[in-house]
Amino acid sequence: MGRKRVYGLTLILMVVCSIGSGLSFGDSPKGVIATLCFYRFWLGFGIGSDYPLSATIMSEYANKKTRGAFIAAVFAMQGFGILGGGIVALIVASAFDHKYKAPAYQVDPIGSTVPQADYAWRIILMFGALPAALAYYWRMKMPETARYTALVGRSAKQAAADMSKVLHVDMEAEQEKVDRLAREKNSYGLFSKEFARHHGLPLIGTASTWFLLEIAFYSQTLFQKDIFTAIGWIPPAKTLNAIHEVYKIAKAQTLIAICSTFCGPLLVHLLFANFGPNVTTFVVPAEIFLARLRSTCHGISVVAGKAGAMVGAFGFLYAAQNKDPAKTDAVYPPGIGMKNSLIMLGVINFVGMLLTFLVPESKGKSLEDLTGKNEEETAEAEAQHA
């Protein structure tokens, strides 16, 4: 189908599922949750598909000097999205909190959640469709990447025409070179011995490091509320009503997004997690694999990362429980405590650092150098002269 077409389909999926999330229906609370889970699953499918496509498209458009910075800039937009989401949640929660007064949970557990609160979360979730819808037009205006058109579509003429539009310079088609790079010896598949020999260890490196990073990253991201409460940033949930709790959490998360220079262990962690490993796990898979399998290998790495996110989400929930059975959350067994859980995440990050040695250095190299195509081309030329 090509990168461009799938790139548009992922946006359509995100728009539909964001709206569907807000319109989740059911004749019981469980029915609403089931519908919401359905739409959030497919929303995650669209976002997960967007990860490798965005990184791959940018890597194939950029040159070797600016490639890493450009891919990192694409990933940096995630920070603006987090900030935007926090602001939307702040505005909606503030408006509902001022309009509909409710007692704290410890005063009235049922009355602490006013019926109108059902609209608040729906508005917040549906707002996510807006940026995706706005981006659709511009994505459809983008031409297919020249490397995909040339090396996978095997059309040097079309690739040259597309690059001429992007760079505003005349480009000559080199069909012979394209044919030479796309010959049978370069057509090995993902599950072949040839792929395992050339790219097996790098793929293990990118997948395993992303897996371990997301265990640590999502453990703290998804349970920021509990961490904020533990360090005193947010009052205990029982002292708040439902909407005011949303406001407090959104406020804390927004402050972290815009105030990364503030002192504090949590802020330092989040700053350097994004500044270092969270960026490089996104950048590197888009650079080191051959064009035909670049999105696929990046996608495998993304899937490994999201598997780590699930492990982190459920594992941290159990591990962070208090050692004292009397102080654990309802239905959860005693854990190792918040402090020990955070230390464990540090150890996981250290193991991830060791696995980065499986990944080749990509700085200053073209995509063809990284995938070995230039070396193959040179060897073939030397054999012909011999």
Side-chain angles (χ1 to χ4, degrees):
M1 293 179 67
R3 311 205 198 289
K4 176 184 174 181
R5 184 175 298 178
V6 178
Y7 210 31
L9 291 175
T10 59
L11 271 186
I12 294 174
L13 185 59
M14 283 188 272
V15 171
V16 171
C17 290
S18 293
I19 296 174
S21 296
L23 298 177
S24 297
F25 55 87
D27 56 3
S28 67
K30 288 184 178 180
V32 174
I33 293 297
T35 308
L36 178 61
C37 288
F38 172 82
Y39 283 114
R40 301 308 281 183
F41 172 84
W42 288 108
L43 177 63
F45 187 87
I47 294 173
S49 302
D50 207 69
Y51 262 65
L53 284 168
S54 295
T56 299
I57 288 172
M58 182 52 69
S59 74
E60 293 181 348
Y61 270 124
N63 60 52
K64 62 183 180 181
K65 292 183 179 180
T66 61
R67 184 179 61 240
F70 279 14
I71 302 174
V74 170
F75 187 76
M77 295 301 103
Q78 178 177 263
F80 289 98
I82 294 172
L83 177 59
I87 292 173
V88 170
L90 273 175
I91 294 172
V92 174
S94 178
F96 275 76
D97 195 31
H98 282 82
K99 179 68 174 178
Y100 306 104
K101 301 297 182 179
Y105 181 84
Q106 63 184 2
V107 176
D108 184 357
I110 297 177
S112 64
T113 304
V114 296
Q116 292 80 3
D118 188 55
Y119 296 105
W121 66 267
R122 294 177 184 274
I123 293 171
I124 294 171
L125 294 184
M126 291 175 70
F127 200 89
L130 182 59
L134 292 175
Y136 183 79
Y137 171 78
W138 298 108
R139 283 198 179 183
M140 292 301 96
K141 295 286 288 183
M142 293 171 52
E144 183 63 85
T145 65
R147 282 186 169 91
Y148 180 88
T149 302
L151 298 177
V152 181
R154 301 189 182 185
S155 176
K157 183 178 180 181
Q158 184 62 48
D162 289 341
M163 286 306 296
S164 296
K165 292 179 182 178
V166 174
L167 301 176
H168 303 290
V169 295
D170 293 331
M171 310 246 339
E172 294 184 4
E174 299 182 41
Q175 188 63 48
E176 292 183 3
K177 183 176 181 179
V178 168
D179 291 338
R180 185 163 59 249
L181 291 174
R183 284 184 181 175
E184 184 177 354
K185 70 175 183 176
N186 293 324
S187 63
Y188 52 83
L190 179 65
F191 301 104
S192 65
K193 292 182 179 179
E194 192 73 9
F195 176 87
R197 185 167 65 87
H198 287 288
H199 302 288
L201 287 179
L203 181 57
I204 292 173
T206 58
S208 60
T209 52
W210 207 331
F211 173 81
L212 294 174
L213 168 69
E214 299 291 56
I215 291 177
F217 187 80
Y218 276 92
S219 292
Q220 299 196 42
T221 302
L222 294 177
F223 296 99
Q224 282 181 9
K225 177 179 71 69
D226 300 308
I227 297 174
F228 293 158
T229 301
I231 63 178
W233 281 22
I234 296 178
K238 64 182 181 180
T239 64
L240 306 169
N241 63 55
I243 294 179
H244 196 60
E245 184 181 11
V246 172
Y247 174 80
K248 287 286 189 180
I249 296 171
K251 182 179 178 180
Q253 291 177 331
T254 304
L255 284 174
I256 283 180
I258 62 177
C259 302
S260 59
T261 55
F262 277 15
C263 296
L266 180 61
L267 289 170
V268 171
H269 161 76
L270 293 174
L271 169 64
F272 284 98
N274 284 291
F275 181 75
N278 208 21
V279 173
T280 51
T281 50
F282 181 81
V283 172
V284 173
E287 297 183 306
I288 62 175
F289 300 108
L290 64 164
R292 290 180 298 99
L293 299 173
R294 188 169 293 133
S295 287
T296 302
C297 293
H298 197 290
I300 291 172
S301 302
V302 171
V303 170
K306 299 318 164 191
M310 289 190 290
V311 171
F314 288 102
F316 191 82
L317 183 62
Y318 283 88
Q321 295 297 320
N322 199 290
K323 296 179 181 179
D324 185 352
K327 296 181 179 179
T328 61
D329 294 336
V331 309
Y332 289 104
I336 60 176
M338 182 69 72
K339 179 181 177 180
N340 291 334
S341 296
L342 295 177
I343 292 174
M344 179 181 67
L345 297 182
V347 174
I348 290 173
N349 278 331
F350 179 76
V351 175
M353 182 194 72
L354 297 179
L355 290 171
T356 61
F357 290 102
L358 296 176
V359 181
E361 177 58 62
S362 59
K363 181 180 179 181
K365 297 180 181 180
S366 69
L367 295 179
E368 287 72 28
D369 288 333
L370 287 166
T371 57
K373 291 203 177 285
N374 279 350
E375 287 85 348
E376 292 174 1
E377 184 181 354
T378 301
E380 183 176 319
E382 290 175 352
Q384 289 177 349
H385 286 303

